Amino acid sequence: MCVSRALALLAVAATLAGCVTTAKPVRKGPDPMHVAMYGPQPEERFPLPAMDISRVNPRYFRQQVAYQTMEPAGTIVIDTQNRFLYLVQGEGMAMRYGIGVGKAGLEFEGAARIGRKAEWPRWTPTPSMIKREPERNLKWANGMEPGLTNPLGPRALYLYKDGKDTLFRIHGTSEPWSIGKAVSSGCIRLFNQDIIDLYGRVPSGSRVVVLQHQTPAEETTPVAAANGFVPPAAI
């Protein structure tokens, strides 16, 4: 009788043990909205693959934010200190893009105009870039053809002042991990998908204001992503 009871108790214990599971933390993946925003663009001259967003701080993703400025709608404001580019939309709003700032991007301050726009531009390093990194840039002294490895990416905006090229460019990048950082060369770089978006929003002649010494920015709450999605917190 005791043996039967013991066996019964063991059976119950085994049954209960089978109901207990060890919870494992669920690893949250990238936001589907951002995955779509930075997805492939096969219709491009050089089909653009999806961007790996796993190494990027989400604060640098393209998003609509509240932004107070005296600049009129259509103006690009570049905040090099905080690594943001704003396309002013008016009524206290702007489309914000994360940027990487190269050495040349720190050598201009003030207002200019977009004097030229180019799709899949050719890239030629400046003499100073060749001198600074000869092992990397000397072989391209006569220019690099457009393509996925071209440092300017799929689009470039060329800034002019008083009719002269400032040598300041807003462009894409083959190094998406560099967004939000200070980098050794180049001017103002955006994710390739973002420079395509910005390029389509601004015409030649648009005003550009470059700010070099802004105070650290307070993080703003996104109002909407570039595709029109409105986060629940903003409703």
Side-chain angles (χ1 to χ4, degrees), residues 74-77 85-89 93-95 97 198 201-202:
T75 302
I76 292 175
V77 179
L85 180 152
Y86 298 88
L87 175 58
V88 180
Q89 297 176 317
M93 304 300 297
M95 188 65 72
Y97 306 80
L198 178 64
R201 294 175 186 267
V202 294

Side-chain angles (χ1 to χ4, degrees), residues 196-210:
I196 290 174
D197 181 84
L198 178 64
Y199 185 97
R201 294 175 186 267
V202 294
S204 292
S206 295
R207 175 177 166 84
V208 180
V209 177
V210 182

Side-chain angles (χ1 to χ4, degrees), residues 45-169:
R45 175 183 170 189
F46 299 94
L48 199 63
M51 190 183 83
D52 179 6
I53 63 176
S54 63
R55 298 172 61 189
V56 180
N57 187 325
R59 76 195 300 256
Y60 296 116
F61 292 149
R62 182 194 333 153
Q63 53 194 275
Q64 189 181 45
V65 298
Y67 184 65
Q68 297 298 324
T69 178
M70 297 298 292
E71 297 293 340
T75 302
I76 292 175
V77 179
I78 300 174
D79 181 349
T80 60
Q81 183 73 25
N82 293 297
R83 311 288 192 260
F84 292 126
L85 180 152
Y86 298 88
L87 175 58
V88 180
Q89 297 176 317
E91 299 183 354
M93 304 300 297
M95 188 65 72
R96 190 181 77 181
Y97 306 80
I99 61 175
V101 182
K103 179 177 173 58
L106 299 173
E107 296 175 349
F108 179 85
E109 185 173 14
R113 297 278 177 180
I114 297 176
R116 184 165 75 90
K117 299 172 61 178
E119 297 190 18
W120 292 102
R122 184 181 176 86
W123 173 71
T124 302
T126 63
S128 62
M129 292 174 66
I130 294 175
K131 182 178 180 180
R132 187 165 59 250
E133 297 182 281
E135 70 287 348
R136 181 179 183 181
N137 297 323
L138 182 58
K139 60 184 176 181
W140 306 117
N142 294 321
M144 179 190 288
E145 292 298 318
L148 295 178
T149 59
N150 187 297
L152 294 182
R155 304 286 191 275
L157 305 174
Y158 299 79
L159 270 60
Y160 283 64
K161 186 171 184 177
D162 300 326
K164 297 181 180 180
D165 188 352
T166 65
L167 301 180
F168 189 104
R169 281 74 170 112

